[in-house]
Amino acid sequence: LVGLISVLRIIEPDRSMMALGSDLSSLRLNLNSPHAIFSSFLSPWSDIQKLPGFSIEPGYYVPASYRQAKASPAAEERSRSFSDEALFYMFYTSPMDTIQAEAAKELFHRNWRYCKELKIWITKQVDEQGKAVEALEPTSENERATYGVFIMFDPIRWKREKRELTIIWETIELNL
């Protein structure tokens, strides 16, 4: 309480206003009005609070296209239009984010599979545009590994490479 006494005894008006605030009724605001205060309050420094014919609207032009409520397409729809490289970028640069999950879903949909051990994306075969055409999946339930030439995306060199690999199926994410 001793500290409050020194604040209450401030003589300088600027410091007093900073410490204690000011009485809003001194600003000639009708605090008992059922309507919003901001529609009639022009400025605390103005003697006239509402000018006839004056509307508090922005003094700049807002294009009609900005006023239309258009929802952006869902993330699944947008991710379909991205290139594989853009999806890899989204996946590797947004860890533990919904963007990473959406990129992973779309890559999985495009027949890429994620190797949890190597932390890379792998596919079996690509077409002339570089898109994966064959899904990387075990041929039987008893198959534990497979050996072959695979296309992998190297996130360090940021390019696709053909490599001979032995794939252990338990290290591959087969379901998303």
Side-chain angles (χ1 to χ4, degrees):
L1 290 177
V2 176
L4 283 176
I5 292 173
S6 65
V7 170
L8 293 173
R9 289 187 185 161
I10 295 176
I11 298 172
E12 298 172 40
D14 292 339
R15 282 192 180 187
S16 174
M17 190 162 136
M18 291 279 293
L20 303 174
S22 63
D23 181 16
L24 292 178
S25 61
S26 69
L27 298 174
R28 289 176 273 164
L29 291 173
N30 183 2
L31 300 176
N32 296 323
S33 171
H35 303 292
I37 293 174
F38 64 86
S39 64
S40 63
F41 182 65
L42 188 60
S43 166
W45 299 279
S46 174
D47 290 334
I48 302 170
Q49 290 304 320
K50 191 164 188 182
L51 299 173
F54 181 76
S55 172
I56 302 178
E57 288 292 321
Y60 48 85
Y61 172 73
V62 178
S65 61
Y66 280 49
R67 288 184 246 137
Q68 294 176 356
K70 282 190 269 183
S72 61
E76 297 89 25
E77 293 175 29
R78 287 193 314 261
S79 64
R80 287 185 201 131
S81 65
F82 295 143
S83 68
D84 288 352
E85 283 72 17
L87 292 169
F88 290 132
Y89 177 80
M90 291 163 54
F91 179 83
Y92 286 111
T93 60
S94 303
M96 305 297 288
D97 196 340
T98 56
I99 292 172
Q100 184 184 44
E102 287 304 321
K105 281 183 196 173
E106 183 59 27
L107 286 167
F108 190 85
H109 176 72
R110 295 181 187 186
N111 294 324
W112 286 91
R113 300 298 180 256
Y114 187 70
C115 178
K116 297 177 274 189
E117 183 181 310
L118 299 173
K119 297 185 180 1
I120 58 171
W121 286 90
I122 304 171
T123 191
K124 185 95 169 154
Q125 200 176 27
V126 292
D127 63 10
E128 53 276 347
Q129 284 92 24
K131 298 203 182 280
V133 292
E134 186 180 336
L136 181 63
E137 294 175 351
T139 54
S140 70
E141 289 182 25
N142 299 333
E143 186 180 21
R144 294 179 184 232
T146 187
Y147 176 79
V149 176
F150 298 96
I151 310 295
M152 61 165 271
F153 183 80
D154 184 353
I156 296 169
R157 293 190 189 124
W158 208 256
K159 67 178 188 175
R160 299 169 197 227
E161 295 179 348
K162 272 189 180 183
R163 284 204 188 155
E164 289 185 22
L165 297 170
T166 300
I167 303 268
I168 301 169
W169 291 114
E170 61 190 33
T171 66
I172 301 295
E173 194 73 49
L174 294 173
N175 299 319
L176 282 184

